[in-house]
Amino acid sequence: MSAPERIPPRSVTAADLLAHGELTVRGRIREASNAALYCTVTHEGEQAACVYKPVAGERPLWDFPDGTLARREVAAYEVSEATGWGLVPPTVLREGPYGEGMCQLWIEAVPDAELLALVEGEEPEPGWKAIGFAEVGEGRTALLVHADDERLRRLAVLDAVINNADRKGGHLLPAAGGRLYGIDHGVTFNVEDKLRTLLWGWAGEPLTQEALAVLGLLREGLKDGGALTTRLAGLITAAEIDATRARVEALLESGRHPVPGGTWPAIPWPPV
């Protein structure tokens, strides 16, 4: 599916377009595990493509009993915006043809971006980080690696903050202009440690000064009455906000990227 050529100009923000535009369903994204609809949204003469995920199409998850996947997706966008990194496409909560759901700007991925690879050998080449070994058939294994890319490293920090339980390769969208977005954040913000990701290449390494500065901003925003706390309050529970604060504090205290906890599968399946 291709997005319409017109995109919102500066006078109409993507968030305004998504929140207030007329939503028209064009088709269904069949590979999605929950209902995900490809739509166009039109407002004040501007049009863009988007994804609409109605709450009514969500499958219940025993380990995410509170709230909805849609609200968690919007919460992930709010945290991303608070970092200033813009890692999640504009996402809003709104009413649509099938009731309340999240609506996210459609991002057209750039083909052939080299972010993940399977390679021979025990160690990654320069410019790559090891994730782990994967079976590739006939009793053979190969080393799964991801690019040593500052955009992925920022996303790894965001995932640690929001406790992302499903950072697969297919949830990485390289876009025009060198941008990189992460999508599908419905299983985030759990109070228990459920970080499950392909971006373990920096596990245990010191956080960058940029990341530490951003975490400091998040700490301020997550204080009682803080701007980010206020935006998250209608999206996730108070306990989940407290747990997010605790994760930010833990990252600042350690000054390092987290390592797999051992009580939860560290890598999502399928990884891509």
Side-chain angles (χ1 to χ4, degrees):
M1 299 178 184
S2 297
E5 293 182 1
R6 300 184 71 186
I7 59 174
R10 292 181 185 273
S11 59
V12 180
T13 68
D16 286 339
L17 184 59
L18 293 170
H20 304 298
E22 180 181 354
L23 198 60
T24 303
V25 176
R26 302 296 184 185
R28 182 169 183 175
I29 303 171
R30 296 189 179 278
E31 58 267 28
S33 56
N34 294 280
L37 305 174
Y38 177 80
C39 303
T40 53
V41 61
T42 306
H43 182 58
E44 296 184 356
E46 301 302 328
Q47 186 181 81
C50 61
V51 178
Y52 163 54
K53 297 182 181 179
V55 172
E58 296 178 3
R59 298 178 181 177
L61 297 174
W62 67 267
D63 52 343
F64 285 83
D66 299 316
T68 65
L69 305 187
R71 288 177 181 257
R72 294 175 189 281
E73 294 232 35
V74 180
Y77 167 70
E78 294 290 356
V79 175
S80 169
E81 288 299 283
T83 67
W85 285 333
L87 296 171
V88 178
T91 312
V92 303
L93 191 71
R94 60 163 292 169
E95 287 293 320
Y98 300 102
E100 183 180 84
M102 82 85 169
C103 190
Q104 185 175 83
L105 191 68
W106 179 270
I107 301 298
E108 200 68 38
V110 174
D112 302 323
E114 294 187 357
L115 297 176
L116 298 167
L118 283 168
V119 298
E120 301 292 337
E122 300 285 325
E123 298 291 336
E125 296 291 328
W128 294 88
K129 290 284 190 177
I131 303 169
F133 290 95
E135 293 185 9
V136 292
E138 299 180 354
R140 296 175 54 247
T141 61
L143 184 64
L144 181 61
V145 298
H146 66 67
D148 188 1
D149 185 310
E150 67 175 7
R151 301 169 302 169
L152 289 179
R153 191 166 191 172
R154 290 171 176 171
L155 199 56
V157 174
L158 176 67
D159 285 343
V161 170
I162 66 176
N163 198 13
N164 191 353
D166 197 29
R167 176 61 72 205
K168 297 177 180 177
H171 298 169
L172 302 172
L173 291 184
R179 296 292 301 272
L180 177 69
Y181 294 97
I183 60 169
D184 286 344
H185 298 108
V187 286
T188 49
F189 296 101
N190 202 294
V191 296
E192 299 179 4
D193 179 16
K194 291 186 180 291
L195 184 59
R196 188 167 60 169
T197 175
L198 285 179
L199 304 180
W200 286 117
W202 297 282
E205 292 188 13
L207 293 162
T208 64
Q209 290 301 309
E210 178 194 44
L212 291 170
V214 164
L215 289 166
L217 291 175
L218 293 181
R219 170 196 271 164
E220 290 300 310
L222 285 166
K223 288 181 176 179
D224 287 339
L228 183 54
T229 297
T230 300
R231 290 196 293 273
L232 294 178
L235 300 169
I236 58 177
T237 68
E240 289 165 342
I241 294 174
D242 287 341
T244 304
R245 288 192 189 106
R247 288 191 294 271
V248 170
E249 289 295 336
L251 288 166
L252 284 167
E253 183 177 347
S254 72
R256 294 180 177 274
H257 286 270
V259 297
T263 58
W264 180 256
I267 297 175
W269 187 262
V272 178

